[in-house]
Amino acid sequence: MRRGRAVAAATAVLAVVAGSLALTRLGSGEETGGAKNTGLPPATAPVERGDLRDSARADGTLGYDKQRKVNAGAAGTITWAPRTGSTVERNERLYEVDGRPVRLMYGAGPMYRTLKPGDKGRDVEQLERNLAELGYTGFTPDEEYTELTAAAVKRWQKSHDAKRTGKVGPQDITFAPGKVRIKSVGAGVGEQAQPGAPVLETTGSERIVTFQLDVAESRLAKAGTKVTVDLPDGTTASGKVSSVGRTAKPGDDPQDDSPTVTLTVSFDEPDEVDGFDQSPVTVNLAGETRRDVLTVPVNALLALPGGGFGLQVVRGGTTREVKVELGMFAEGRVEVSGGGLREGAKVGVPKI
């Protein structure tokens, strides 16, 4: 369940104000701003001056970035599979089919064909850059697979006691943007692999948090917004909103179907973040700050018959109603201006 400030909640409060605190006294024909002796309110609260911070708290889930599936590149029997939770880096084996390792290389594009001399394309350049990073050089990394590339591939194959063909296909390597963490194994040792069928589910190695935020709070749903995250071990980590979903959908709470968007948080120091995958966390978002403004409790607002909102100012045993302009809602208070208000003035509120 999401917790904290919500514009929708403020709107609901105003609706209650309009329904239950509409000034019947004003409806008697007396003018707004005139002094009246029609009785004092049940309680009062002071007008305060200070900073008002727009913030929110939301339930989130600790996880990992860049979730993806790894599909088998060839048919056969799985003869080795990695351990769930382990990390695989460049040139390390992801899994084996019929005793033949399939190794990880870094790249954004997929490994979809067998590369050989004469081939051209971005996948060729991805392979060549990986070979160069591993020390198998002698060519210029570009989009053309030459005999020099094949010679480097043969040296790479020899280092792994593989057949020196000078060709590389999906049965040999798979591409991922970077090192991966094994989230789950779809085909275990002894099971059959089929080309195009998932054998592993992986994620990136960096910790992230995902959470949902009401569309009504979209002012806080901006990439770059600073956050703190309360972690399962009781510590707090700082970060920022790294991405915001583009599609609104009903929230997970069956009692609250307000539309929400999904946000992702990246940590300032991800290597320092600990906790089990899918652990619940709390995200604290800091939004806009209005400095040195006058504020009153939200429930001090009164709906005026002619429209807008006002306050019941109490002074010297008398009351008067003044019309005010509303600003930010936050922390159970609302920014107000106009009506000759000053810090320390008393305004009527419902008795708690």
Side-chain angles (χ1 to χ4, degrees):
M1 177 181 295
R2 294 167 302 282
R3 304 184 297 276
R5 186 203 66 84
V7 173
T11 302
V13 169
L14 294 184
V16 172
V17 169
S20 63
L21 295 179
L23 290 175
T24 56
R25 298 184 299 280
L26 293 178
S28 65
E30 296 176 336
E31 295 181 355
T32 299
K36 300 185 291 294
N37 291 293
T38 56
L40 297 174
T44 63
V47 177
E48 297 180 1
R49 179 177 293 279
D51 297 344
L52 191 63
R53 292 178 175 81
D54 193 14
S55 61
R57 290 165 60 85
D59 293 330
T61 303
L62 182 64
Y64 292 87
D65 64 344
K66 302 173 184 175
Q67 184 170 314
R68 63 187 292 267
K69 293 181 179 180
V70 176
N71 296 328
T77 301
I78 300 292
T79 50
W80 181 86
R83 177 176 55 85
T84 299
S86 61
T87 300
V88 180
E89 300 186 13
R90 191 197 322 257
N91 203 35
E92 294 181 343
R93 60 179 179 170
L94 271 173
Y95 62 96
E96 288 185 2
V97 175
D98 293 342
R100 185 174 184 172
V102 177
R103 299 185 180 277
L104 177 67
M105 295 293 186
Y106 295 170
M111 185 63 182
Y112 64 95
R113 59 175 175 166
T114 296
L115 297 176
K116 59 188 182 302
D119 288 338
K120 297 181 180 181
R122 287 179 296 177
D123 51 348
V124 172
E125 184 176 4
Q126 281 187 172
L127 173 64
E128 291 184 341
R129 292 193 180 281
N130 278 274
L131 292 171
E133 286 290 332
L134 294 170
Y136 303 100
T137 57
F139 56 87
T140 299
D142 55 21
E143 295 190 355
E144 186 175 357
Y145 198 114
T146 66
E147 292 295 341
L148 294 176
T149 308
V153 168
K154 289 178 181 179
R155 295 196 300 275
W156 171 75
Q157 291 170 329
K158 181 181 179 180
S159 70
H160 293 299
D161 295 325
K163 188 175 180 180
R164 300 173 62 187
T165 65
K167 303 176 182 179
V168 183
Q171 69 278 7
D172 302 303
I173 66 171
T174 189
F175 287 118
K179 64 181 180 180
V180 300
R181 172 186 170 275
I182 306 302
K183 181 177 181 180
S184 62
V185 177
V189 173
E191 297 182 356
Q192 292 298 304
Q194 297 295 331
V199 291
L200 301 172
E201 188 170 3
T202 68
T203 67
S205 59
E206 185 171 322
R207 305 309 300 268
I208 61 169
V209 167
T210 55
F211 69 100
Q212 294 179 338
L213 192 67
D214 287 338
V215 169
E217 297 180 297
S218 59
R219 187 166 52 180
L220 295 176
K222 297 179 180 179
T225 298
K226 296 292 185 180
V227 305
T228 58
V229 180
D230 299 334
L231 298 170
D233 62 2
T235 62
T236 299
S238 61
K240 64 182 179 181
V241 174
S242 56
S243 66
V244 180
R246 297 185 177 182
T247 303
K249 62 180 182 178
D252 294 334
D253 188 346
Q255 298 182 358
D256 181 7
D257 59 357
S258 300
T260 64
V261 291
T262 299
L263 294 86
T264 302
V265 168
S266 59
F267 292 100
D268 294 338
E269 298 181 0
D271 293 340
E272 302 299 321
V273 176
D274 196 11
F276 292 108
D277 188 23
Q278 302 302 299
S279 297
V281 297
T282 300
V283 181
N284 306 288
L285 297 99
E288 181 183 0
T289 298
R290 301 297 295 271
R291 300 192 181 281
D292 195 34
V293 295
L294 295 176
T295 67
V296 297
V298 171
N299 60 355
L301 295 175
L302 303 169
L304 302 179
F309 291 91
L311 296 170
Q312 187 180 38
V313 179
V314 181
R315 183 180 182 184
T318 63
T319 66
R320 64 188 182 95
E321 285 75 37
V322 297
K323 187 172 183 178
V324 294
E325 298 294 328
L326 306 184
M328 178 190 293
F329 285 82
E331 303 170 346
R333 302 184 68 82
V334 58
E335 176 188 357
V336 292
S337 60
L341 291 178
R342 59 179 177 80
E343 181 181 1
K346 301 293 185 181
V347 296
V349 295
K351 187 174 183 180
I352 299 176

